[in-house]
Amino acid sequence: MKKLNLEILTPYGKYYAGEVDAILVHSDDFYMEILPNHAPLVSSLCVSKMIMKNGSDEVPYAIGGGIIRVEKGKTTLLLNSIEGKNDIDIERANEAKNRAEERLKNKENIDVARATHALQRALNRISVFND
């Protein structure tokens, strides 16, 4: 079976380079599964759960948004952040969720977009941890 050549890069360097059967990611507009021989594509990715498929294994990751580029023979993810289930500090994620929710209750003197984004990231981490 043909494999997908995948490279994941973050601001901290290369997170992953290897072959997988498929990945599932979310853009702002749609949910997509990238398989070997996928048509060329460039798209932004939102804060969401990414799933890496290898055989019967489906491993979830919390991603902090970024860009996907699919070209012949290679798929590259440029991500703001990526965390596997074992990387997530669930206590810290719950604290971040609670802080963001408190800030959003009183919308005066806060950056609403920043607090909303912080809440999305926290909820995404909690979802991946509980998966």
Side-chain angles (χ1 to χ4, degrees), residues 59-75:
V59 181
Y61 294 88
I63 65 170
I67 297 171
I68 184 171
R69 179 179 179 195
V70 180
E71 54 191 326
K72 186 176 181 179
K74 186 174 184 181
T75 297

Side-chain angles (χ1 to χ4, degrees), residues 72-120:
K72 186 176 181 179
K74 186 174 184 181
T75 297
T76 304
L77 299 177
L78 302 172
L79 302 176
N80 296 326
S81 64
I82 182 169
E83 295 171 281
K85 183 175 184 171
N86 295 333
D87 300 326
I88 296 171
D89 180 341
I90 192 63
E91 186 175 309
R92 183 171 169 245
N94 281 315
E95 289 170 1
K97 173 187 165 283
N98 293 337
R99 273 194 313 274
E101 288 174 339
E102 283 300 316
R103 287 185 180 128
L104 289 169
K105 282 181 185 175
N106 179 11
K107 294 183 180 181
E108 291 181 32
N109 300 321
I110 67 156
D111 184 338
V112 174
R114 184 175 176 207
T116 301
H117 191 66
L119 180 58
Q120 289 172 335

